[in-house]
């Protein structure tokens, strides 16, 4: 099976939500509307979200996705916020999610997504990535160079607010 790494847009939200539902329990899953809003907003400098994923080249189905958006490093963005807005000053690119449908794990798709996300973030001028590690995923994120800032409750589960400095050539 072969995959194409493609840019995603609000038109892809339905398939993004389908992959999300395969990966996470219901309390972590955000609505179509929240995803559309997160994909549509740019910060005051015109820096837009970065979103891409892998499509199966035979059937055109989305099997993974990565979404990151401008944010600030004071605290993680809220989950499930229908009135979601970007802060006035965005100084980091927040990795909202990287997800791979269970059937397609073990093919290095998550690594491919993280590497591409890092490259695009650097090209866009971001110097730091942040994320919230949930469901005991923090060791994975540490392998990608993320370090814990603090513990953080996310969808009523313990997690970790993490960050990673970007520098030329880092992945």
């Amino acid at each position: 099976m072969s995959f194409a790494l493609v840019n995603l847009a609000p038109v892809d939200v339905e398939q993004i939500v389908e992959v999300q539902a395969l990966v996470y329990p219901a309390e972590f899953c955000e609505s179509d509307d929240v995803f559309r809003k997160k994909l549509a907003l740019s910060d005051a400098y015109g820096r837009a979200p970065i979103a891409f994923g892998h499509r199966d080249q035979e059937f055109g189905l989305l099997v993974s996705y990565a979404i990151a958006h401008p944010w600030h490093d004071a605290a993680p963005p809220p989950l499930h916020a229908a009135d979601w807005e970007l802060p006035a000053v965005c100084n980091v690119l927040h990795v909202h999610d990287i997800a791979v449908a269970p059937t397609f794990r073990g093919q290095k798709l998550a690594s491919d997504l993280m590497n591409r996300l890092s490259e695009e973030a650097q090209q866009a001028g971001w110097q730091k990535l942040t994320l919230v590690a949930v469901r005991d995923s923090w060791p994975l994120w540490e392998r990608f160079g993320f370090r814990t800032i603090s513990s953080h409750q996310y969808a009523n589960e313990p997690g970790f607010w993490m960050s990673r400095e970007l520098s030329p050539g880092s992945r």
Side-chain angles (χ1 to χ4, degrees), residues 7-153:
N7 290 322
L8 300 176
V11 70
D12 298 302
V13 165
E14 187 175 306
Q15 284 191 31
I16 291 168
V17 170
E18 288 173 3
V19 173
Q20 175 189 231
L22 294 171
V23 174
Y24 296 109
E27 61 269 15
F28 284 105
C29 293
E30 291 193 299
S31 72
D32 295 26
D33 291 338
V34 171
F35 268 108
R36 278 189 189 85
K37 189 149 192 183
K38 285 183 178 182
L39 288 171
L41 295 176
S42 297
D43 73 359
Y45 299 100
R47 295 178 297 191
I50 296 172
F52 47 87
H54 291 96
R55 283 198 190 284
D56 168 84
Q57 289 191 313
E58 184 176 352
F59 300 105
L61 298 174
L62 191 68
V63 301
S64 72
Y65 67 86
I67 297 173
H69 57 77
W71 196 248
H72 60 77
D73 62 1
L79 191 63
H80 305 300
D83 60 347
W84 194 84
E85 295 289 337
L86 290 176
V89 176
C90 296
N91 61 344
V92 300
L93 186 67
H94 181 75
V95 180
H96 172 275
D97 203 5
I98 291 182
V100 177
T103 304
F104 302 98
R105 291 186 181 152
Q107 299 184 52
K108 303 223 182 269
L109 298 180
S111 293
D112 192 28
L113 292 170
M114 190 67 231
N115 291 337
R116 173 79 180 270
L117 178 68
S118 296
E119 290 167 6
E120 290 204 19
Q122 288 177 302
Q123 289 172 5
W126 294 106
Q127 295 179 357
K128 186 189 289 187
L129 298 174
T130 62
L131 58 80
V132 175
V134 296
R135 311 204 77 214
D136 297 325
S137 66
W138 58 268
L140 167 72
W141 298 114
E142 284 183 339
R143 286 195 299 271
F144 284 116
F146 285 86
R147 299 293 171 247
T148 299
I149 299 169
S150 64
S151 59
H152 182 74
Q153 283 293 113

